[in-house]
Amino acid sequence: MAKQSIVIIGGGPAGLTAAYELLKNNGSEKYDVTVLEASGEFGGISRTVKHNGNRMDIGGHRFFSKDDRVMDWWKNILPLQGAPSYDDKKLNRPHDMEPGGPDPEKTDEVMLKRHRVSRIYWHGKFFDYPVSLKPATLKNMGFVTTMKVGFSYLASLVHKLPEENLENFYINRFGRQLYSMFFEGYTEKLWGRHPSVISADWGSQRVKGISIMAVLKDAFGKLFGKQKKAGEGETSLIEEFWYPKYGPGQLWETVAKHDVEFGANIIKHANVVKINETADGRIASVVYVDAEGAEHTLAADEFISSMPIKDLVDAVAAGDQAAEVVPKDMKRIADGLPYRDFVTVGFLVDHLNLKNETTIPTLGHPPIVPDCWIYVQDTSVKVGRIQVFNNWSPYLVEDVDNKVWIGLEYFCDEGDDFWNLTDEQAIDFAAKELVKMGVIKSVSDIQDSHRERVKKAYPAYFDTWYEIDDLVKWLDSFGNLYCVGRNGQHRYNNMDHSMASAFEAVKNIESGRADKKNIWSVNTDKEYHEEKK
């Protein structure tokens, strides 16, 4: 029996997961799988950047999921630690070790268990994220602001706004005062649009279950000694997560290695520029350009795409039968789909000008703040978040005892003034913002730096996104095309959702299922987020 040929566009979480699922258990006897990755790296935005002995996580990736399939899958790729990591030992920090699991001090292929600490930096003060009801929170806000927050929240309980946009979504859950303090400016900084013109669907996907009531429930749970484990509780309240020893890119590099061992043909620097169709409305082949600029045509029976929908439709429009295949409305919707792009600037310093005033022990002299990342709500600076890589994994930093390796995250649009800054200009800009915020005392404290740019990091929910259902219906009309992943579905998916969409696509190929509702339904059902079955 002839093998079924499958082309997978994209070597990120969705694409590599699809290849793995197709080829595991001797799948190479049934499938001939080729993965085309446009860059030279695996993992998409879940990759890890290496710079002078230190590693940067692009965007910060906590490994947890409500989906047991995903948790088990990760653990199968990188087993959970069975002995303390370097900082666990030095700080005498307890974790439930995995019986028989590897020792991260002796083995590289290992998943660490980490504590989540994320806070908001607002007007020079730290607030828990999500906002907690600790005395320190009330003290930082002050009596007058606290009263405004309380009465504003009570008003939101009585008068619910129609959730026709993201602004109303937040106000209904937190009250207008907290919204204006912690959501309005940051959201506009992130998306470049005011929350009043962004769909509420973004909020329903990213902060499902999070509200003042959820914060109260969480606070009382802690009061009575109830502890959450990885994968339990509301998404943004997770307190423990898993993390690869060398960052998320390590996991996807390991998956790619297994894919090749299983029989996959992975081609890097393969940029898909054309998609050709058959006379009966199926995908016939893809055309990709290699690193030398040469074109190659690859035919297959089935096609799984995690490339951005805008680029996918452009590739179809460039195909042999483009004039007959791409309706004008579909091209218009695809061309209008918005994205937010991303810049990270990494800095290496001896210490931060921020005191660890928590009870959480940390490495460093003096001890660094315990945050994995810090949300910067101050609208007087452009930076959106600050990652402290030391706290994600001690193995990301070459000299973790004596240096602090941080990443400043900026949200922008490809081609805008900030995106077009040279490396030197962007680094200088970010360094001055660090000083302005008081994170470091002087730019002379910086010993090393690196700028990294990421295109189409965040699919956005405005402009022609409101018509995306029509575009999805048209894409599904290609019977042998399966759209998966964050950009492949133009959905703000977490890594586990991208993987789940790949699981579903593989199921359809294996079973012959024609409709693709199961693939598109990932990350749309509230139950998926809020309750672990």
Coordinates of all heavy atoms in Angstrom, one line a residue, residues 81 83-95 97 103-106 114 363 394-395:
Q81 N 12.0 16.6 36.7 CA 13.1 16.4 37.5 C 12.9 15.5 38.7 O 11.8 15.5 39.4 CB 13.6 17.8 38.1 CG 12.6 18.5 39.0 CD 13.1 19.9 39.4 OE1 12.7 20.9 38.8 NE2 13.9 20.0 40.5
A83 N 15.5 15.3 41.1 CA 16.4 15.8 42.1 C 16.4 17.3 42.0 O 16.0 17.9 40.9 CB 17.8 15.2 41.8
P84 N 16.8 18.0 43.0 CA 16.7 19.5 43.0 C 17.6 20.1 41.9 O 18.7 19.6 41.7 CB 17.2 19.9 44.4 CG 17.0 18.6 45.2 CD 17.2 17.5 44.3
S85 N 17.1 21.2 41.4 CA 17.9 22.0 40.4 C 18.9 22.8 41.3 O 18.9 22.8 42.5 CB 17.1 22.9 39.6 OG 16.3 23.8 40.4
Y86 N 19.8 23.5 40.6 CA 20.9 24.3 41.2 C 20.3 25.3 42.2 O 20.7 25.3 43.4 CB 21.7 25.1 40.2 CG 22.8 25.9 40.8 CD1 24.0 25.4 41.3 CD2 22.6 27.3 40.9 CE1 24.9 26.2 41.9 CE2 23.5 28.1 41.5 CZ 24.7 27.5 42.0 OH 25.7 28.3 42.6
D87 N 19.3 26.1 41.8 CA 18.7 27.1 42.7 C 17.9 26.4 43.8 O 17.8 26.9 45.0 CB 18.0 28.2 42.0 CG 16.9 27.6 41.0 OD1 16.9 26.4 40.8 OD2 16.2 28.4 40.5
D88 N 17.2 25.3 43.5 CA 16.4 24.6 44.5 C 17.4 24.2 45.7 O 17.0 24.4 46.8 CB 15.8 23.3 43.9 CG 14.7 23.6 43.0 OD1 14.1 24.7 43.1 OD2 14.4 22.7 42.2
K89 N 18.5 23.7 45.3 CA 19.4 23.2 46.4 C 20.0 24.4 47.2 O 20.1 24.4 48.4 CB 20.6 22.4 45.7 CG 20.2 21.1 45.2 CD 21.3 20.1 44.9 CE 22.2 20.7 43.8 NZ 23.3 19.7 43.5
K90 N 20.4 25.4 46.4 CA 21.1 26.5 47.1 C 20.1 27.3 48.0 O 20.5 27.9 49.0 CB 21.7 27.5 46.1 CG 22.6 28.5 46.7 CD 23.6 29.0 45.6 CE 24.7 29.9 46.3 NZ 25.7 30.4 45.4
L91 N 18.9 27.4 47.6 CA 17.9 28.1 48.4 C 17.0 27.3 49.3 O 16.1 27.7 49.9 CB 16.9 28.9 47.4 CG 17.6 29.9 46.5 CD1 16.6 30.4 45.4 CD2 18.2 31.1 47.3
N92 N 17.4 26.0 49.3 CA 16.6 25.0 50.1 C 15.1 25.1 49.8 O 14.3 25.1 50.7 CB 16.9 25.2 51.6 CG 16.4 24.0 52.4 OD1 16.4 22.9 51.9 ND2 16.0 24.3 53.7
R93 N 14.8 25.1 48.5 CA 13.4 25.3 48.0 C 12.8 23.9 47.7 O 13.3 23.2 46.9 CB 13.5 26.2 46.8 CG 12.1 26.5 46.2 CD 12.1 27.6 45.2 NE 13.0 27.3 44.1 CZ 13.6 28.2 43.3 NH1 13.2 29.5 43.4 NH2 14.4 27.8 42.3
P94 N 11.7 23.6 48.4 CA 11.1 22.3 48.2 C 10.2 22.2 46.9 O 9.6 23.2 46.5 CB 10.1 22.2 49.4 CG 9.8 23.6 49.7 CD 11.0 24.5 49.4
H95 N 10.3 21.1 46.3 CA 9.4 20.7 45.2 C 9.1 19.2 45.3 O 9.9 18.5 45.9 CB 10.1 20.9 43.8 CG 10.0 22.3 43.3 ND1 8.8 23.0 43.0 CD2 10.9 23.2 42.9 CE1 9.0 24.2 42.5 NE2 10.3 24.4 42.5
M97 N 9.5 16.0 43.9 CA 10.3 15.4 42.9 C 9.6 14.2 42.2 O 8.8 13.5 42.9 CB 11.6 15.0 43.5 CG 12.5 16.2 44.0 SD 13.0 17.3 42.7 CE 12.4 18.8 43.3
D103 N 18.3 14.0 37.3 CA 18.9 15.1 38.1 C 19.3 16.2 37.1 O 20.2 16.0 36.3 CB 20.1 14.5 38.8 CG 20.8 15.5 39.7 OD1 20.5 16.7 39.6 OD2 21.6 15.1 40.6
P104 N 18.7 17.4 37.3 CA 19.1 18.5 36.3 C 20.5 18.9 36.4 O 21.0 19.6 35.5 CB 18.1 19.6 36.7 CG 17.6 19.3 38.1 CD 17.7 17.8 38.2
E105 N 21.2 18.6 37.5 CA 22.6 19.0 37.7 C 23.5 18.0 36.9 O 24.7 18.3 36.7 CB 23.0 18.9 39.2 CG 22.4 20.1 40.0 CD 23.2 21.4 39.7 OE1 24.2 21.7 40.3 OE2 22.7 22.1 38.7
K106 N 22.9 16.9 36.5 CA 23.7 15.9 35.8 C 23.2 15.6 34.4 O 23.9 15.1 33.5 CB 23.7 14.6 36.5 CG 24.3 14.7 37.9 CD 24.2 13.4 38.7 CE 24.8 13.5 40.1 NZ 24.7 12.2 40.9
R114 N 8.7 24.8 38.5 CA 9.0 26.2 38.9 C 7.9 26.9 39.6 O 6.7 26.5 39.3 CB 9.4 27.0 37.6 CG 10.4 26.4 36.7 CD 11.7 26.1 37.4 NE 12.4 27.3 37.8 CZ 13.5 27.2 38.6 NH1 14.0 26.1 39.1 NH2 14.2 28.3 38.9
L363 N 18.4 34.0 44.3 CA 19.9 34.0 44.2 C 20.3 35.5 44.0 O 19.5 36.4 43.8 CB 20.3 33.2 42.9 CG 19.9 31.7 43.0 CD1 20.3 31.1 41.6 CD2 20.7 31.0 44.1
P394 N 17.8 28.5 36.4 CA 19.2 29.0 36.6 C 20.1 28.7 35.5 O 21.2 29.3 35.4 CB 19.5 28.3 37.9 CG 18.7 27.0 37.9 CD 17.4 27.5 37.3
Y395 N 19.7 27.7 34.7 CA 20.6 27.3 33.6 C 20.5 28.2 32.4 O 21.3 27.9 31.4 CB 20.3 25.8 33.2 CG 20.3 24.9 34.5 CD1 19.1 24.5 35.1 CD2 21.5 24.5 35.0 CE1 19.1 23.7 36.2 CE2 21.5 23.7 36.2 CZ 20.3 23.3 36.7 OH 20.4 22.5 37.9

